Amino acid sequence: YYASSTGISGSLATIVWTTKDFDSHLAMSSGLYTVGISGKYVVNCGLALAGTFALNSTNILEIQKNSTAVSNVTKYSGGIVTAETIQVSDIISCLAGDVIRIQASSGATGPSIVSSNTKNFISISRVGN
């Protein structure tokens, strides 16, 4: 799945993934991935952000399982810039019915997710028991 241009703010908000490359189990809906089979899942996510980022502005990307953070990356801007990227990845042990989602926030002025099907992505794959 890929995310389109979306506004974000200083509070964590669920990313809604709008463009599907493939979803073999129809598990993604409105930014929520419902696990169909218990096991370990690898989650990879990346976002490209636009806005006015001051020195040390924070950008956060978080993987949540059942609304609880399991991985969190906080990136600080190295100077005054108008674009940032951020990525997070983890392997998560899940039970059938668990829900995985990505949340993001930014301390920039006027932040948004850049409209790009190559820079914004989430991939979730079962990798074992």
Side-chain angles (χ1 to χ4, degrees):
Y1 274 87
Y2 306 100
S4 64
S5 180
T6 303
I8 58 175
S9 68
S11 299
L12 285 172
T14 299
I15 303 301
V16 177
W17 305 94
T18 56
T19 305
K20 178 170 64 171
D21 185 26
F22 64 91
D23 182 354
S24 59
H25 295 46
L26 302 174
M28 181 70 80
S29 178
S30 299
L32 305 176
Y33 180 90
T34 302
V35 172
I37 300 171
S38 297
K40 297 204 175 21
Y41 286 77
V42 63
V43 179
N44 295 296
C45 178
L47 290 178
L49 306 173
T52 303
F53 300 88
L55 177 65
N56 292 323
S57 290
T58 59
N59 298 301
I60 300 171
L61 195 55
E62 183 170 281
I63 301 171
Q64 294 184 351
K65 179 178 84 171
N66 300 328
S67 300
T68 300
V70 293
S71 295
N72 177 300
V73 172
T74 301
K75 183 177 180 183
Y76 297 89
S77 297
I80 300 172
V81 296
T82 58
E84 291 277 356
T85 60
I86 190 167
Q87 298 83 31
V88 66
S89 181
D90 202 352
I91 297 175
I92 303 168
S93 183
C94 295
L95 299 174
D98 283 347
V99 175
I100 297 171
R101 69 178 173 173
I102 302 294
Q103 292 211 317
S105 72
S106 178
T109 302
S112 66
I113 298 172
V114 174
S115 184
S116 171
N117 282 352
T118 58
K119 295 179 182 175
N120 304 312
F121 63 88
I122 184 173
S123 66
I124 302 173
S125 301
R126 185 169 175 266
V127 293
N129 295 326

